[in-house]
Amino acid sequence: MKLGIVLSKPPSYSETFFNSKIKGLLEHGYDVTLYVRENTEEYKNCKVYNAPRVFKNPILQVLSTGFVLLSLVFYLKRILKFIKLEKSSGRSITDTLKNCYKNAHLLKANVDWLHFGFATLALGSEHVAKSIDAKMAISCRGYDMDVYPLKHEKVYDLVWKRVDKVHAISNYMLSKAQELGLPDSVASAIIYPAISPYFFKGKNEKQFSESKSLNITTIARLHWIKGLDYTLEALQLLKQKGVKFNYTIIGEGSEYESLRYAVHELNLENEVSFLGKLSHQTTLEHLKNTDIYLQYSHTEGFCNAVLEAQAMGCLCVVSDGGGLPENIIDNTTGFLVKKRDANALAESIFRVLSMDELDLSPIKKAARTRVLKDFTIDNQIQAFINFYE
Amino acid sequence: MKERLKIAIFSGNIPSTSFIERLIDGVSKHHEVLLFGMQKQKVDYSSNSIRIFSTPNSKLKNSFITLWRATKLFFTNPKALFQLLEEVKKEASNYSKFMKLSKCIPILLHKPDILHLQWAKDLPKYAFLKSTFKIPIVVSFRGAHINYTPIVEPDFAEKYKATFPLVDAFHGVSKTIIDKASQYGDIANRSTVIYSPLPQFFFEAYEEFQKKESEIIRIVSVGRNHWKKGYQYAVDAIKQLKEKGYNVHYTLIGPSSPTEALLFQIHQLSVEDSISFVGQLNQEDLLKALKKQDILLLPSLGEGIANVALEAMSMGLPVISTNCGGMAEVVKHKETGWLIPMRNTDAIAEAVIDFNSTSESELKSITNNAYKFVKNEFDFKNNISKFISLYNTVVKS
């Protein structure tokens, strides 16, 4: 089976789950090739092809277009088919030509499946798979379903018509796709993310203790969707109730300024630290010392960080946004809190703190057991093999 | 008093924001006003006391003009040119060296009696005009540059500490902001509170409050799209009010479309039908739009004193404001409006409910108090004369 995976860039070293998926499929005899928009680093696990570059300089762009068109001469039949399909869907000539250029690397591909890693990556490439006699798959992961379509109406209409199979990382993502027009007639599968075998080592049992202050952690890009402002407000309420804690945010992003300001205004300077982006390894070290893991996002496709936190034996308190209720079973493997409500989050954390270790320890255990049992890479790879068969 | 002074009102941009333009207009009736900075668009001032010595936006045009100005300075005051070149050398890149040169040469050519910096953040860049060239500097504290720049960019705290001693006088748009700035230097005895003047226009629009017939409570906010404006709390509050059964509509004037974050929030909370976005309006249209509303909401997380709240108060529109920046100096709870804590959805919703159940006669008295207060403290002529006497004290000393 030849599989082409379309991504914006090759998965970085730290994206272990992605790398292990590719490795796993290779081990099962799959021929995997990556097609990317920008090749940021040498990728060793499989072959990588780049999309033609888009130049700002018009002269370079004309030269490059000529070169790319020339290289497509040997694929004339595919190109004609692509153009015909584009025309039949009512695309303008300019857009069709742009798409020819943009998809040149894909139009040369020899694969059985062309799998777009995010739904947005399939936009403008809807007709490629059919033109090269491959099947088309897309993954629905989060932003592509939750936010992008709000700004671009009916953006996936053509994708739904052309796609052969849809992969969603959670039930929530699939229902979002259906809301956006994915018809029931299109085959789909929910394949949850998986965690690296690293987590199976050690036991990671910890207990709250009155003597030391509580360590609370969130791993998130500093982005509005992560609800970090609401989290900080909840922590201020917690501080007012006399709880001693340290809160660590791991991640970087555009909201740093507003969050930093919030920390100052909420008088949390001594409690909160922004650690920026850390390596996967260092992040896990932090989780080792974390008592409570918070993920108070407005929405999540599923959220790997919460999986990893559970595997590391942290008690997870998360919002009920997006796919998080599938990630945490309320009161059994952690706690769900109504989203966008700082009071509710503060109360929830406070309640957890007042609970007995005898009640909390089974929850942490259940979380780790469930994650290690149900979210393994082996399961994930088997699910993907079934997906493509 | 010296005859007419040359006052440089410097905001970096020509034309500037509306309140700085009003200052320019007012001061030009007493003194000559020099404008330096990047010219973004053409402006015509009717007064010939306003003179523009702009730095053109086009790089090519700027190169020629700067060369010409440098030659002029070379022949009139060669020492100044060489001192400036020394100063410019401190910049990191060639481009910033050139930009600093092209922005500062006209100031040295037309040497103002006072350089009035409208934005505190410009002070570190231009303080050398005082230390090297003895041009007296006045700095305005208007909000963001004191309230959060030094917090999110800590090196500004150091820069402020180093340059505040050079400044001849400070102007704060509120008492609160001068208190805040005091942590960067001993400035109290060089500081004056001058509230930003409001155009007469709004006072003329004042009407005694009357409850509207409509069943809908119309809430309005005015301002650009920025996290500091706290719109997300307003949207959360709208959701809460709707859940409690109140028929509310929220209008945002300023942004023509929501940010991605607000768009998502509105969609997730299913309040699309209760919120509308109106683009930026000119003052006349803004006034018309505000007349149709029941209450102005300022959900902000940081301001000096928000002009829009004053405008609402001057025209008789009730105001709910967070206790941010200097807002507490004007919005006194249940006396001139509703003052609520920041970042607090419940408080916004409660204030709207409280407003809704307040009797018409009480609302009449609250809005009338607000009008009188603003009329007293924010009158245009009064304010300009305060600036004029501030300039005079600087020149005398």
Side-chain angles (χ1 to χ4, degrees):
Chain A
M1 178 83 75
K2 286 185 208 146
L3 172 63
I5 300 178
V6 185
L7 290 174
S8 51
K9 54 187 176 192
S12 69
Y13 179 74
S14 63
E15 290 173 273
T16 36
F17 67 100
F18 223 123
N19 290 318
S20 25
K21 174 190 162 185
I22 292 171
K23 273 189 199 155
L25 287 171
L26 287 167
E27 278 163 20
H28 281 80
Y30 274 60
D31 181 0
V32 184
T33 313
L34 278 183
Y35 296 89
V36 299
R37 294 234 171 116
E38 50 170 334
N39 202 349
T40 42
E41 52 191 292
E42 279 296 305
Y43 190 69
K44 299 204 178 68
N45 292 340
C46 68
K47 267 181 298 182
V48 181
Y49 289 103
N50 273 32
R53 249 180 82 184
V54 178
F55 293 92
K56 278 203 183 111
N57 182 331
I59 301 168
L60 285 177
Q61 185 60 51
V62 168
L63 284 175
S64 175
T65 308
F67 185 74
V68 167
L69 287 181
L70 211 63
S71 75
L72 284 173
V73 163
F74 303 106
Y75 301 88
L76 204 56
K77 231 176 107 184
R78 289 177 170 195
I79 303 299
L80 291 175
K81 194 166 175 190
F82 183 72
I83 292 174
K84 206 173 137 196
L85 285 166
E86 290 274 288
K87 205 178 159 198
S88 71
S89 74
R91 267 219 172 104
S92 72
I93 296 176
T94 336
D95 284 348
T96 303
L97 287 177
K98 268 186 199 159
N99 287 341
C100 273
Y101 181 78
K102 195 178 97 175
N103 292 310
H105 64 314
L106 299 176
L107 288 164
K108 295 177 204 164
N110 285 313
V111 294
D112 301 309
W113 275 96
L114 196 59
H115 189 145
F116 295 88
F118 295 87
T120 43
L121 291 172
L123 299 172
S125 304
E126 297 91 343
H127 295 121
V128 175
K130 205 164 187 191
S131 308
I132 64 172
D133 286 323
K135 294 211 159 156
M136 173 175 175
I138 64 161
S139 288
C140 304
R141 293 187 177 276
Y143 186 87
D144 51 359
M145 293 293 125
D146 262 331
V147 183
Y148 193 80
L150 292 178
K151 299 189 286 183
H152 308 267
E153 251 181 87
K154 302 190 170 178
V155 69
Y156 297 127
D157 282 7
L158 193 54
V159 173
W160 303 140
K161 273 189 204 151
R162 301 299 176 210
V163 72
D164 293 290
K165 204 158 182 185
V166 170
H167 158 228
I169 63 165
S170 60
N171 250 313
Y172 169 75
M173 272 290 110
L174 187 62
S175 66
K176 260 290 161 194
Q178 284 160 346
E179 228 173 84
L180 291 165
L182 170 68
D184 290 340
S185 53
V186 176
S188 61
I190 292 158
I191 305 176
Y192 289 114
I195 56 162
S196 126
Y198 167 89
F199 297 97
F200 293 87
K201 291 177 230 150
K203 285 188 86 182
N204 298 313
E205 275 177 30
K206 41 201 160 196
Q207 292 197 343
F208 294 158
S209 91
E210 302 262 321
S211 58
K212 73 176 181 68
S213 75
L214 188 71
N215 284 327
I216 307 177
T217 304
T218 296
I219 304 167
R221 276 174 303 128
L222 308 183
H223 186 275
W224 59 263
I225 211 162
K226 300 296 182 182
L228 293 164
D229 38 3
Y230 292 80
T231 310
L232 292 172
E233 284 154 24
L235 292 177
Q236 185 209 25
L237 296 172
L238 213 59
K239 184 179 173 177
Q240 282 169 359
K241 286 191 174 179
V243 178
K244 298 249 180 300
F245 62 88
N246 298 307
Y247 179 50
T248 308
I249 301 175
I250 300 173
E252 58 187 15
S254 54
E255 290 294 309
Y256 176 74
E257 191 189 83
S258 67
L259 292 169
R260 188 66 196 71
Y261 182 72
V263 166
H264 177 82
E265 289 282 296
L266 297 170
N267 192 21
L268 293 170
E269 300 271 11
N270 295 326
E271 284 80 12
V272 179
S273 34
F274 293 90
L275 296 193
K277 202 175 168 178
L278 298 179
S279 74
H280 195 229
Q281 196 57 43
T282 325
T283 307
L284 295 179
E285 289 301 316
H286 269 278
L287 288 180
K288 253 187 203 162
N289 298 316
T290 296
D291 302 304
I292 295 185
Y293 182 84
L294 294 181
Q295 195 84 50
Y296 200 54
S297 307
H298 302 323
T299 183
E300 288 283 350
F302 187 72
C303 197
N304 276 60
V306 171
L307 273 188
E308 300 195 346
Q310 292 178 79
M312 295 299 286
C314 312
L315 196 65
C316 293
V317 180
V318 305
S319 86
D320 62 358
L324 286 170
E326 297 169 62
N327 201 323
I328 295 286
I329 304 167
D330 195 17
N331 289 318
T332 307
T333 64
F335 300 93
L336 293 178
V337 187
K338 181 173 173 262
K339 57 188 165 280
R340 289 186 188 280
D341 188 342
N343 291 322
L345 179 58
E347 271 165 34
S348 202
I349 300 171
F350 199 68
R351 209 177 51 237
V352 167
L353 292 178
S354 62
M355 278 169 79
D356 201 279
E357 191 59 42
L358 279 174
D359 296 322
L360 291 176
S361 159
I363 291 179
K364 287 188 266 189
K365 252 187 212 145
R368 182 169 148 90
T369 312
R370 172 172 174 258
V371 168
L372 295 190
K373 186 172 144 285
D374 294 347
F375 298 90
T376 63
I377 290 196
D378 288 343
N379 282 353
Q380 192 200 32
I381 286 165
Q382 196 48 54
F384 271 112
I385 288 169
N386 297 341
F387 182 87
Y388 297 124
E389 292 305 320
Chain B
M1 187 174 115
K2 189 184 158 186
E3 58 309 339
R4 279 165 79 83
L5 297 172
K6 288 197 282 182
I7 314 284
I9 296 180
F10 184 90
S11 73
N13 290 322
I14 308 169
S16 194
T17 50
S18 58
F19 47 94
I20 295 174
E21 289 299 314
R22 286 203 287 276
L23 176 65
I24 292 170
D25 180 60
V27 174
S28 74
K29 298 197 167 79
H30 303 261
H31 294 302
E32 200 175 323
V33 176
L34 310 186
L35 299 182
F36 303 104
M38 303 297 282
Q39 184 134 22
K40 301 283 180 197
Q41 66 194 70
K42 221 178 132 17
V43 268
D44 281 317
Y45 291 105
S46 52
S47 163
N48 47 18
S49 299
I50 302 174
R51 297 167 62 200
I52 302 178
F53 305 102
S54 64
T55 306
N57 224 357
S58 138
K59 278 181 202 153
L60 187 70
K61 211 168 146 193
N62 191 11
S63 310
F64 282 115
I65 288 199
T66 301
L67 190 64
W68 166 240
R69 284 173 176 163
T71 317
K72 269 212 287 200
L73 188 60
F74 178 75
F75 284 108
T76 51
N77 190 352
K79 193 177 160 212
L81 180 64
F82 291 121
Q83 280 173 318
L84 176 61
L85 285 170
E86 264 320 295
E87 177 64 33
V88 162
K89 269 187 199 160
K90 292 176 195 162
E91 291 295 312
S93 73
N94 280 339
Y95 179 73
S96 54
K97 279 178 192 163
F98 172 71
M99 283 319 288
K100 186 157 186 177
L101 189 71
S102 70
K103 282 177 185 168
C104 292
I105 282 188
I107 303 179
L108 291 178
L109 263 181
H110 302 278
K111 223 171 168 184
D113 296 309
I114 288 173
L115 175 63
H116 182 174
L117 299 176
Q118 300 302 309
W119 304 113
K121 224 175 152 176
D122 284 331
L123 176 64
K125 254 182 289 173
Y126 293 96
F128 78 95
L129 290 170
K130 167 73 193 236
S131 53
T132 313
F133 299 99
K134 308 288 171 243
I135 299 175
I137 291 182
V138 175
V139 175
S140 282
F141 297 139
R142 297 191 175 278
H145 293 198
I146 289 300
N147 287 335
Y148 70 85
T149 302
I151 297 159
V152 292
E153 299 173 59
D155 54 321
F156 262 95
E158 292 312 308
K159 285 180 187 170
Y160 284 166
K161 280 178 193 159
T163 50
F164 276 11
L166 293 168
V167 177
D168 296 86
F170 293 98
H171 148 235
V173 293
S174 65
K175 197 179 155 298
T176 318
I177 201 156
I178 289 174
D179 292 345
K180 256 216 162 138
S182 295
Q183 63 183 299
Y184 306 112
D186 188 10
I187 62 165
N189 52 2
R190 286 175 285 158
S191 298
T192 314
V193 179
I194 307 177
Y195 292 123
S196 295
L198 270 191
Q200 197 52 32
F201 193 69
F202 281 96
F203 294 110
E204 282 159 11
Y206 176 76
E207 272 172 34
E208 190 175 54
F209 181 84
Q210 261 190 317
K211 268 207 164 157
K212 295 198 174 54
E213 295 294 310
S214 154
E215 288 294 297
I216 304 174
I217 310 172
R218 296 193 177 276
I219 306 166
V220 65
S221 288
V222 185
R224 70 204 157 104
N225 259 335
H226 193 280
W227 60 261
K228 216 185 66 184
K229 298 292 176 187
Y231 295 138
Q232 59 176 350
Y233 301 95
V235 174
D236 280 343
I238 296 299
K239 170 76 177 174
Q240 210 184 94
L241 286 164
K242 289 195 69 173
E243 275 176 353
K244 288 188 173 152
Y246 288 89
N247 192 354
V248 286
H249 191 92
Y250 184 43
T251 306
L252 264 146
I253 301 177
S256 55
S257 60
T259 57
E260 189 182 271
L262 275 186
L263 181 69
F264 179 82
Q265 181 183 9
I266 290 166
H267 186 85
Q268 189 174 46
L269 300 178
S270 307
V271 287
E272 294 97 330
D273 297 338
S274 307
I275 298 183
S276 42
F277 287 81
V278 179
Q280 226 178 338
L281 299 178
N282 64 34
Q283 279 183 343
E284 216 164 306
D285 291 338
L286 176 63
L287 205 139
K288 271 187 216 151
L290 291 180
K291 289 243 154 185
K292 293 186 192 134
Q293 301 290 333
D294 295 311
I295 192 153
L296 178 107
L297 170 64
L298 188 85
S300 194
L301 312 180
E303 296 276 350
I305 292 178
N307 251 325
V308 57
L310 298 171
E311 288 165 0
M313 290 162 88
S314 66
M315 60 183 280
L317 185 65
V319 170
I320 298 175
S321 169
T322 57
N323 183 8
C324 68
M327 289 313 296
E329 291 171 53
V330 289
V331 179
K332 305 200 169 92
H333 193 59
K334 300 283 250 176
E335 257 176 68
T336 61
W338 279 259
L339 192 69
I340 56 172
M342 283 185 278
R343 300 179 189 274
N344 194 327
T345 303
D346 297 353
I348 297 176
E350 279 159 25
V352 172
I353 294 170
D354 188 38
F355 157 77
N356 195 46
S357 59
T358 303
S359 70
E360 185 166 34
S361 65
E362 200 178 333
L363 286 170
K364 274 191 172 121
S365 114
I366 288 176
T367 48
N368 189 253
N369 289 343
Y371 168 77
K372 280 192 205 144
F373 175 79
V374 176
K375 179 88 179 134
N376 254 337
E377 298 289 328
F378 295 83
D379 177 71
F380 182 69
K381 277 188 199 141
N382 229 333
N383 276 283
I384 293 299
S385 62
K386 283 180 190 162
F387 273 107
I388 300 301
S389 60
L390 173 69
Y391 295 147
N392 287 341
T393 41
V394 168
V395 174
K396 266 183 210 153
S397 58

